[in-house]
Amino acid sequence: MDNSLLIGKHIYKLLSEDEALATKVTPKKIFPLVANAETTYPFIVYARTGLFVEYCKDGLVGNTIDFQIISVSGNYVESLEVANEIRRVLELKRYKD
């Protein structure tokens, strides 16, 4: 069975373990779907937004997963800096079960 639905777990692991990103957003402020009500800026919210299954005549080929990561901050420049760090961490990464 393919565990591609666990992509959020993989995203959290990559983001929370990156030391450079942790200087801007602590791992305690990285949330799936929705942030806690009392969370202060800056923080990160991520969610899977789509799952596209690819088949061929022999069965499952693989999945393409879309997800959204939102950098939330008290000011625009800080949100861009955090977003840039997120991109650096995730760019060209692949999830393999």
Side-chain angles (χ1 to χ4, degrees):
M1 171 149 194
D2 181 17
N3 284 324
S4 59
L5 292 175
L6 297 176
I7 190 69
K9 184 177 177 181
H10 185 65
I11 290 169
Y12 178 79
K13 181 177 176 16
L14 289 171
L15 295 177
S16 66
E17 292 179 355
D18 188 79
E19 292 178 17
L21 181 60
T23 64
K24 297 188 180 300
V25 178
T26 67
K28 293 180 181 180
K29 292 185 176 185
I30 302 173
F31 302 96
L33 303 177
V34 102
N36 295 334
E38 65 280 354
T39 303
T40 58
Y41 299 131
F43 60 91
I44 298 169
V45 178
Y46 64 93
R48 181 176 35 86
T49 59
L51 171 66
F52 305 96
V53 183
E54 300 170 40
Y55 293 102
C56 71
K57 64 181 181 179
D58 296 326
L60 178 68
V61 173
N63 294 312
T64 300
I65 301 165
D66 290 339
F67 56 91
Q68 180 179 45
I69 300 177
I70 302 167
S71 168
V72 183
S73 177
N75 71 66
Y76 182 67
V77 172
E78 183 180 44
S79 71
L80 291 177
E81 290 171 353
V82 172
N84 196 46
E85 286 297 316
I86 293 168
R87 182 175 180 173
R88 180 193 54 78
V89 172
L90 297 178
E91 196 159 39
L92 301 177
K93 297 293 190 291
R94 296 182 67 85
Y95 172 73
K96 289 225 173 201
D97 182 27

